[in-house]
Amino acid sequence: EPEVTQTPSHQVTQMGQEVILRCVPISNHLYFYWYRQILGQKVEFLVSFYNNEISEKSEIFDDQFSVERPDGSNFTLKIRSTKLEDSAMYFCASSESGAETQYFGPGTRLLVL
Amino acid sequence: AQKVTQAQTEISVVEKEDVTLDCVYETRDTTYYLFWYKQPPSGELVFLIRRNSFDEQNEISGRYSWNFQKSTSSFNFTITASQVVDSAVYFCALSEAMGNTGKLIFGQGTTLQVKP
């Protein structure tokens, strides 16, 4: 069964460093998303991406964040200068359309020291 | 504004008990979609069900059933004869059709502990 994959599973970084989180969505899906979940809290929407552009972003998704689909399979989230409060689990998801079910990857746990 | 409320923070039951997880949502959109996801201790988000706003039929899948009532803006989830493997955090989520961006708004989640 097709699934969303994410790498790395864990990442530890120093405050101020750049990180890139990688995702491979399900191959026939056209909509891609990033969410984050701070430990013990709810899942929060960051950004949705369709047709090579951002279709919606949340207030959390400020200028420090960017997304890219560098080739036909990968979808990346970059955090330019990490802060302590960026420590969270980051989930990638994909769906066939904006109305269809989103399937989530296993997440990348980011720890900023 | 869209909002999802899961008022039950934690529920603890003994195996074989039935348990209902509540979900209340707010939206101004007339077309929307409701979801339940399960997050086991391993951390991944597992899709359970999707419902669109025009389909108020209740659904049963094995020990799981869902009760969607537009009149009360609720989409409750019942597990019958709970098992230890049902222990997880359960999230209800809402997606509005307007804009078709697919953004999911999650509730706070309900932690279900099923004791043997």
Side-chain angles (χ1 to χ4, degrees), chain A residues 31 33 35 37 41-45 48 55-56 89 91 97-106, chain B residues 2 4 33 35 37 39 42-45 47 50 91 95 100-109:
Chain A
Y31 287 71
Y33 313 86
Y35 293 82
Q37 184 182 30
Q41 298 188 22
K42 69 176 179 180
V43 180
E44 299 174 289
F45 170 79
S48 59
S55 47
E56 187 170 359
M89 178 77 95
F91 289 104
S97 76
E100 293 298 324
T101 298
Q102 292 177 32
Y103 293 93
F104 285 78
Chain B
Q2 333 93 306
V4 176
Y33 307 92
F35 303 83
Y37 286 87
Q39 188 174 42
S42 48
E44 71 271 26
L45 287 165
F47 165 73
R50 170 184 177 271
F91 290 98
S95 174
N100 197 35
T101 66
K103 177 176 80 172
L104 282 175
I105 302 298
F106 284 82
Q108 294 284 359

Side-chain angles (χ1 to χ4, degrees), chain A residues 36-55:
Chain A
R36 80 170 185 191
Q37 184 182 30
I38 294 170
L39 189 63
Q41 298 188 22
K42 69 176 179 180
V43 180
E44 299 174 289
F45 170 79
L46 291 178
V47 66
S48 59
F49 190 86
Y50 168 70
N51 201 25
N52 277 322
E53 59 183 30
I54 290 173
S55 47

Side-chain angles (χ1 to χ4, degrees), chain B residues 47-91:
Chain B
F47 165 73
L48 295 178
I49 190 171
R50 170 184 177 271
R51 250 304 173 252
N52 76 53
S53 52
F54 297 110
D55 183 2
E56 284 193 76
Q57 272 196 321
N58 291 331
E59 180 153 341
I60 298 174
S61 176
R63 295 184 297 107
Y64 295 171
S65 61
W66 290 270
N67 184 311
F68 176 27
Q69 292 198 331
K70 281 178 83 168
S71 60
T72 55
S73 297
S74 65
F75 186 45
N76 297 336
F77 172 33
T78 297
I79 302 174
T80 303
S82 59
Q83 300 176 0
V84 172
V85 294
D86 296 327
S87 297
V89 182
Y90 290 87
F91 290 98

Side-chain angles (χ1 to χ4, degrees), chain A residues 18-105:
Chain A
E18 173 183 288
V19 295
I20 296 177
L21 310 184
R22 291 183 167 79
C23 169
V24 178
I26 294 173
S27 61
N28 65 329
H29 285 184
L30 301 176
Y31 287 71
F32 314 116
Y33 313 86
W34 284 101
Y35 293 82
R36 80 170 185 191
Q37 184 182 30
I38 294 170
L39 189 63
Q41 298 188 22
K42 69 176 179 180
V43 180
E44 299 174 289
F45 170 79
L46 291 178
V47 66
S48 59
F49 190 86
Y50 168 70
N51 201 25
N52 277 322
E53 59 183 30
I54 290 173
S55 47
E56 187 170 359
K57 60 183 181 180
S58 71
E59 293 171 356
I60 303 168
F61 195 89
D62 61 22
D63 292 344
Q64 293 299 312
F65 291 87
S66 62
V67 289
E68 194 177 35
R69 187 152 163 83
D71 52 44
S73 59
N74 290 285
F75 179 51
T76 62
L77 173 70
K78 183 194 291 187
I79 310 175
R80 274 183 253 288
S81 177
T82 49
K83 307 184 189 78
L84 296 176
E85 54 265 36
D86 292 328
S87 295
M89 178 77 95
Y90 288 81
F91 289 104
C92 173
S94 69
S95 62
E96 291 181 16
S97 76
E100 293 298 324
T101 298
Q102 292 177 32
Y103 293 93
F104 285 78

